[in-house]
Amino acid sequence: MGNKLKVLVFTLFSVLSFAACSRYEPAALEPGYDASAMPETSVISFSDTQNESDAKETEAETEAEDTVPEDTRERTKVKGIYVASKPLANEEFMSKFWDRMDSTELNAVVIDIKDDYGRITYDMQGVGIVDELGSVDACIADMPGLMKKFKEHGIYTIARIVSMRDPYIGNVKPEWCLTNADGSIYKDNSGYTWINPYKTEYWDYLLAIADQCIADGFDEIQFDYIRFCTDKGASDCVFDEADTKGRDKISIISEIVEYLSSHIKEEDAFVSCDVFGTIIGSQIDSRSVGQDYPQMAALADYMCPMIYPSHYAAGNFGLDMPDKHPYEAILGALKRSRSVISKAFTQGGDYGVEAHIRPWLQAFTATWLGDGNYIRYSAEQIRQQIQAVYDAGYDEWILWSASVSYDYGAFLSPSEADEETKRIEESRAALPPEETLGEQGETFPEELQNALDGDQLKPEDEAKLLEDGPIVTYE
């Protein structure tokens, strides 16, 4: 069995697989950030004795239950970028920003609202729980004015809410946080506290923030870090059975997403979830963070897998070093996405409505990978990733740069983008359906699969997994 594992399993066992996986902290949130320094660059059967009218009534009730309400929300094919909160208050940055958005295909922004440090970036007046916790650290002085400007420029707005990692709440509501066996508050590798996902009071806090964003004009709410922590020591955190009620990680994260999504959709806004790209087709990684790709895709409107080439180790998708092959890495990841989603939603899976897939792409250079293991990401590399999105059969994308530094030469003009859209539609129409599906995801020997289904691995199997190295390599 050991040799078979060596060939077929390329990821670490749950905790270690993600021990170092996180977004890089947005430099634009740090004190002293200088935005001006940004580079330019039913069939029903009835008994014979049943009254006909009763039969019709029963059938009508059943059809009503099975009918999915019509979704009247108007979707936008997003081509967007991440923008931290501080640059939005910088006049020089914003003057260039409006010009760049107007002159390119870009039509959307992801803005920090509850940031990586747990702070709310604008004054949410009258939101009781926010006022009570004192969460506001207003970087954005005039949110109504900013939202009006976005609408004038036709920009789709996405409110990013960092969810389970919350350094601020650790100071004011430690009872909501992950705890160690000795009762102390757990802190991750960066010294930050994390929320215990089983604490339902916190769900309402997130929902209150989302509701205010919608009231202030945001088109979409995006939940980032909506998962369990996997840094060193997190696996030793303790949970009260009164909170867990027998629910595992995947169950509770899916429950949170369902709770938040159902409320937000009632407000006619969209919901998206950021997820690790490595959970796609990997049961080990899914269990580690509590993110089940197809389950979450049945609950949210958009799934945003973070499939940055720099996040994959050598050998993934058959590439010597994925960061050096941006097109192939993104295409490989999204083919896997199509395969997993297709299998779940079209081959007997009881999932419901399928979310749209909108991946995060890499707009930064991964120097931390070391000499010879990375390449500089400029306009060409960004465009290669965007092309891979289209070639995989998807239409939307968002770019991540923690420093909000983008090479705008990567983007087409609005008229060029319209022509490209026509070419893509014509090309896809000529393809037979089977050519739009990609590879299957992670596979295991039968004996290992049985072990995974029972959440039990023999020590020797676990040891073999640990030899294979992580999917995620940085830090």
Side-chain angles (χ1 to χ4, degrees), residues 71 73 75 156-159 161 207 210-211 214 218-224 226 256-274 296-304 355-358:
D71 187 353
R73 297 170 299 171
R75 291 182 182 263
Y156 183 89
T157 50
I158 305 173
I161 297 179
L207 186 58
D211 282 345
I214 296 168
F218 278 91
D219 299 298
E220 180 177 323
I221 307 299
Q222 182 183 90
F223 294 102
D224 198 358
I226 190 155
I256 295 171
V257 174
E258 181 175 22
Y259 179 79
L260 296 171
S261 293
S262 61
H263 284 79
I264 292 169
K265 290 177 183 179
E266 289 178 356
E267 301 298 324
D268 289 330
F270 292 99
V271 184
S272 58
C273 293
D274 294 344
M296 293 176 72
L299 300 170
D301 294 305
Y302 295 93
M303 292 292 284
C304 302
H356 291 217
I357 306 300
R358 183 202 295 145

Side-chain angles (χ1 to χ4, degrees), residues 338 390-393 423-437:
R338 284 195 79 84
Y390 299 149
D391 289 352
R423 291 195 300 270
I424 291 171
E425 291 174 349
E426 292 171 356
S427 177
R428 289 179 181 172
L431 287 175
E434 61 269 18
E435 290 194 23
T436 64
L437 296 179

Side-chain angles (χ1 to χ4, degrees), residues 37 71 76 95 110 223 229 248 263 276 318 341 363 376 382 390 407:
D71 187 353
T76 296
S95 65
V110 180
F223 294 102
C229 177
D248 61 11
H263 284 79
F276 282 137
I341 293 295
R376 181 174 178 271
I382 291 173
Y390 299 149
D407 187 336

Side-chain angles (χ1 to χ4, degrees), residues 54-176:
D54 290 341
K56 291 180 179 179
E57 182 178 346
T58 302
E59 183 174 2
E61 291 175 351
T62 303
E63 289 178 351
E65 291 176 358
D66 292 341
T67 300
V68 177
E70 182 182 359
D71 187 353
T72 59
R73 297 170 299 171
E74 185 176 348
R75 291 182 182 263
T76 296
K77 288 188 177 181
V78 163
K79 301 178 180 181
I81 56 174
Y82 161 78
V83 180
S85 56
K86 287 190 176 180
L88 293 170
N90 184 287
E91 291 185 8
E92 184 176 353
F93 172 86
M94 292 306 292
S95 65
K96 296 177 181 178
F97 173 81
W98 300 122
D99 288 341
R100 288 162 171 167
M101 297 298 289
D102 290 343
S103 63
T104 69
E105 62 190 314
L106 292 173
N107 64 355
V109 291
V110 180
I111 303 171
D112 281 335
I113 296 301
K114 180 175 178 292
D115 67 23
D116 294 73
Y117 308 109
R119 306 311 297 267
I120 310 302
T121 61
Y122 76 97
D123 191 2
M124 291 187 167
Q125 299 180 5
V127 180
I129 192 168
V130 172
D131 292 340
E132 176 189 338
L133 296 174
S135 313
V136 172
D137 183 13
C139 300
I140 305 170
D142 182 14
M143 180 58 79
L146 181 62
M147 294 304 296
K148 180 181 178 181
K149 193 80 169 177
F150 280 132
K151 300 306 179 185
E152 289 174 353
H153 287 263
I155 299 173
Y156 183 89
T157 50
I158 305 173
R160 176 178 178 249
I161 297 179
V162 176
S163 304
M164 294 302 144
R165 192 179 80 169
D166 195 321
Y168 179 75
I169 288 298
N171 296 317
V172 296
K173 280 284 186 180
E175 63 269 27
W176 286 354

